Structures are given as structure tokens and as C-alpha cells.
Amino acid sequence: MIGARPSRGAIVLLASGDFAFNLYWQSVMIFLVFYYTDALRLPVAAAALTYMVASIWDGIVNLAAGLLIEGRGGRGYRRYLLLGAVPLGVTFVLAYLPPAWGGAGALAVILGGHLLFRTAYAFVNIPYLAMSARISADSDDRGLLAGLRMLFGTAAAVAVAIGTQPIGEWVSGGKEGARVYLFAAIAFAVLGTAILVAVGAIVKEVPTPADRSARPPLLAGIRALARNRAFVTLNAAMIFMIVGVTVLEKSILYYFKYFVGDEGAGRLALASMGALSAVAVPLWIAIGRRIGTRGSWLLASSLAACGMAVFAATDIHGAAATQWFLIAMQAAIIGLHFSFWAMLPDTIEYGELATGVRVEGSIFGVAALLQRIATGVATGLMGVMFAAVGYVADTRLSAQTLAGMRGTIALVPLACLVLAALLMLANPLRRGVHAQIADTLARRNAG
């Protein structure tokens, strides 16, 4: 186990890498499907299914990345940031490269660029996440790291939501349409690459006893994960949370364009949601210290489910009212994300005590696999359900189509958030449990 507590500076420095990753991730989450449908003019079902395929592929390569780095932590994880930062930036630009022709060839180019980006992202991001298990074995330190990572991610989300359009227009010299997104991607890639190289070059990792042991066989590692109840229940809850939140978040631009009639207000809502996170994250860190991260999850999921129930039961369609509703939802959603990332490293020690096998890289690889699959399924589900009720981009939609879209936006997240809360009740990492596990492992390793 890791003995010495890290400095606050070391935690902040490691957390700053999340700004770079979220320049890429938030752009893909917020704009890519909208870019496909309303800039490249892909049919919504094709755009959503393309995104779903890429998300499932993303999960597979995240698992591969986790398995690759498993047991190789003795040489450090940061070298993957140094080697992969430039390829990641290049492939991100390729994901926004408009195809030079139409038809099936264009779809192949779009999908190919997206798959290359997801592959590069996995092989840089998974080692970065694995570094969070090396910064400290203390739950409070890990909670602080998770919170600071979210603050940096929040800053990136605001930059992406507010800056994509003006930055793209400025860099491209006032171009319109798909080229705006391309030139914004170039700007984000330059900044993101520089940050990741700096983090990889400066951050120092602390070895663990696992570095001195043999790499666990693949099947033994998989069996250990399957027997790790803390990991299994946390990720089961996460899957439903991601599906619900993704459907809501990916519907925002569509809702403001076709229900509210003000697309600009939708971009402002996204930026406001990001800005709110800067306030919500410290609050959830404090709540987590008081009631534990499992308790934080249960509280956040309950609040989010209540919010979606209100949305489903009332007619919220004005720009200001919708923005305030989304800001309130974001305050609860931030609590879910914080709780997940704060709890995930703790499942390493829980599994080590329960199975005798310490699994690090695979923990993050499998979690990312499940997260990406959930995101892809949610996006595909949204696209298919929108198409089924008659959605066609840039047309006047019928009342029946709008009602069907609103039902998707309201009911799918509500059902998923309720299930996420129920599943977390089975998670064994109640307040104080991880500290007892860490002490037990420390005595065992000392002996």
C-alpha cells in the first residue's frame, strides 16, 4: 500500500490533466452528434448509430488498454501520456474532418475518424486514471482528487460549450458550418496536447507493493473483478446513471432548437451547467466527507430522479425556465459523477482484500468499457426513439413528434436514475469501510 500522504500540489497537478481530456470528451459528448446531423446533414438514426458503434468500440479498446497496463505500473503510467498526447490530438481533429464526398464513403470516413480518436483516447486516458490509485491510499485524498478533476473538467466543459463556435469562427477566418467545428477541434487539440505532455513530464508516481509481485494471469484478474462486489455494484449503478444522464444531456440542443425555439439559449444552458459545477463540486466533496461517497451517490440520484419526475409532470418549455431546470439537474448529476470517481479507486483495495489479487489497470479499463457501452446505447436509443416519432433535422415538427421526443427526454432518465439509486444500496463501501480495509492491508504488507 502507499504509505506517505501526497502534497496538495501533487494532487492538483495530477488533476489538471482532466482539463485536457475534457476538451476532447466534452466536445464529443456535447457537439459531435449535433455536428453529424446539423452540419454534415446525416440522418439522425445514422448519426446516433455511428456514435453508438464508436462508443462500443471505445469500451473494447478501454478494456484492452487496462489489460495492457495491468502489472506494468512499476515502470510508471505517465509514460503513456508522453507517448500518446500527440496522436490523441491528431485523431481528435480527424473526428471532425468533413468528408470530401458523400454516400457510404462519407459515412465510412466519419466512422473511421471517430474510431481512431476513441482508440487513442483510451490508451492515454486509462493510464491517467490508473495514476489516481497511486497518488494515495486515503479515501479523503482520492475524494479530493476526484473533486479537483471534476473542477478542471468543468472548466473544460465551459470552454467547449462557450468557445467552440467563436473559436472555430475566429481560427477559420469566419467560415460557417462544418469547418467551424474542425478549426475549433484544431485549437482544442493544440492546448490539450501541451497540457498532457506537461502532466506526463512532471507528475511523479509512488510505487505500490503490487509492482513487486507477478502480473496476475488474465483469467485470475477477471475472476477477481467478478468477485469484487464493490466494483460490480458500483458499475451496475453507473451504467444506468450514464444511460439516463446521456439521454438528457444529448437532448439539450435539440430541446432548445425545436421546443424552445432558441438554439443559442441551449449553448448558454450547457455553459451555465458547466459553471454551476464549479460550485457544486466543492459542496459534494464536503458532503462526501460527512456522509461518505456511497451516501453521496444515494442523495444525488434521489435528487436527480425527483427533478426528472417534475420535468415529466410539468410543462417546462421557456428558455429561462428550462435553463434553470437544467442547472438544478446538473447540481445533482455532478454528485453522481463525483461519487463514482471517488469510489472507483477504493474498489481496488476491497477486491485485493476479498480475493488476494490486486487489480489496477483492469479496474479502470472495465469501468471505461461499461461506461462507453452505456453512452453508446443511450445515444443509439435516443436516435432510434427520435427517428421512430418522426424527427427530421431543420423541419417543422408535428405536435405528435414533439410529444414523442419529450417522452424520451423525460422518462428514460427518470427510470434509469431510480434504478441507479436502488443498485447502490447493494454496494458494501459504506462510510469507514475502506479505511478499515486499507489498515488491514497495510498490516498484512508490513508483515
Side-chain angles (χ1 to χ4, degrees), residues 76 149 151 162 190 221 291 374:
R149 283 182 51 217
L151 285 175
I162 294 178
V190 171
I291 66 175

Side-chain angles (χ1 to χ4, degrees), residues 203-230:
V203 170
K204 304 298 182 183
E205 298 169 78
V206 180
T208 74
D211 295 336
R212 298 188 291 273
S213 63
R215 176 181 179 176
L218 176 60
L219 290 179
I222 293 174
R223 284 196 298 268
L225 285 180
R227 292 166 53 199
N228 185 336
R229 185 159 66 95

Side-chain angles (χ1 to χ4, degrees), residues 23-373:
L23 287 177
Y24 301 135
W25 188 250
Q26 294 297 333
S27 178
V28 168
M29 289 292 289
I30 294 171
F31 286 112
L32 196 57
V33 173
F34 191 76
Y35 164 76
Y36 286 162
T37 59
D38 287 51
L40 299 185
R41 303 299 179 185
L42 289 181
V44 65
L49 290 173
T50 297
Y51 193 98
M52 183 177 73
V53 169
S55 294
I56 293 172
W57 170 254
D58 189 0
I60 294 170
V61 295
N62 271 280
L63 176 59
L67 295 175
L68 176 68
I69 70 171
E70 189 67 74
R72 300 186 181 185
R75 295 178 57 196
Y77 295 125
R78 66 193 182 106
R79 69 187 189 277
Y80 294 97
L81 275 66
L82 294 172
L83 294 173
V86 172
L88 175 57
V90 170
T91 57
F92 176 67
V93 173
L94 292 178
Y96 279 101
L97 184 66
W101 54 85
L107 195 59
V109 169
I110 292 167
L111 178 60
H114 198 162
L115 293 178
L116 285 174
F117 163 70
R118 297 281 189 154
T119 302
Y121 190 94
F123 279 92
V124 183
N125 185 244
I126 291 299
Y128 171 77
L129 295 176
M131 291 170 70
S132 67
R134 298 299 182 89
I135 198 71
S136 175
D138 183 81
S139 289
D140 286 342
D141 288 339
R142 290 174 173 181
L144 177 61
L145 174 62
L148 290 173
R149 283 182 51 217
M150 292 185 68
L151 285 175
F152 280 109
T154 293
V158 173
V160 168
I162 294 178
T164 295
Q165 197 77 17
I167 289 173
E169 291 175 354
W170 176 67
V171 176
S172 66
K175 302 290 184 181
E176 296 181 355
R179 292 179 67 84
V180 168
Y181 292 95
L182 173 63
F183 280 92
I186 292 172
F188 292 149
V190 171
L191 179 58
T193 299
I195 292 171
L196 291 180
V197 168
V199 172
I202 298 172
V203 170
K204 304 298 182 183
E205 298 169 78
V206 180
T208 74
D211 295 336
R212 298 188 291 273
S213 63
R215 176 181 179 176
L218 176 60
L219 290 179
I222 293 174
R223 284 196 298 268
L225 285 180
R227 292 166 53 199
N228 185 336
R229 185 159 66 95
F231 176 80
V232 170
T233 54
L234 175 64
N235 281 272
M238 176 271 292
I239 288 171
F240 284 100
M241 181 271 286
I242 290 293
V243 171
V245 169
T246 299
V247 169
L248 175 64
E249 291 179 343
K250 289 194 177 302
S251 300
I252 290 173
L253 292 177
Y254 295 96
Y255 194 85
F256 274 91
K257 183 173 182 177
Y258 296 103
F259 288 80
V260 179
D262 189 346
E263 189 178 332
R267 289 192 292 270
L268 179 59
L270 290 168
S272 300
M273 290 166 68
L276 181 278
S277 302
V279 177
V281 168
L283 177 62
W284 283 110
I285 292 175
I287 291 172
R289 288 175 181 269
R290 187 170 184 85
I291 66 175
T293 47
R294 177 180 176 273
S296 297
W297 177 286
L298 293 171
L299 175 60
S301 56
S302 299
L303 292 173
C306 289
M308 290 311 304
V310 170
F311 180 79
T314 58
D315 182 19
I316 300 176
H317 63 273
T322 306
Q323 287 170 340
W324 281 111
F325 163 73
L326 290 170
I327 289 170
M329 284 297 300
Q330 181 70 1
I333 290 169
I334 284 296
L336 291 168
H337 288 297
F338 162 75
S339 300
F340 175 76
W341 289 113
M343 291 178 71
L344 186 60
D346 289 354
T347 66
I348 294 174
E349 286 80 28
Y350 182 92
E352 183 180 2
L353 183 64
T355 68
V357 177
R358 184 178 178 89
V359 180
E360 288 185 356
S362 297
I363 284 275
F364 295 97
V366 172
L369 165 66
L370 298 173
Q371 187 179 63
R372 301 314 194 258
I373 290 175

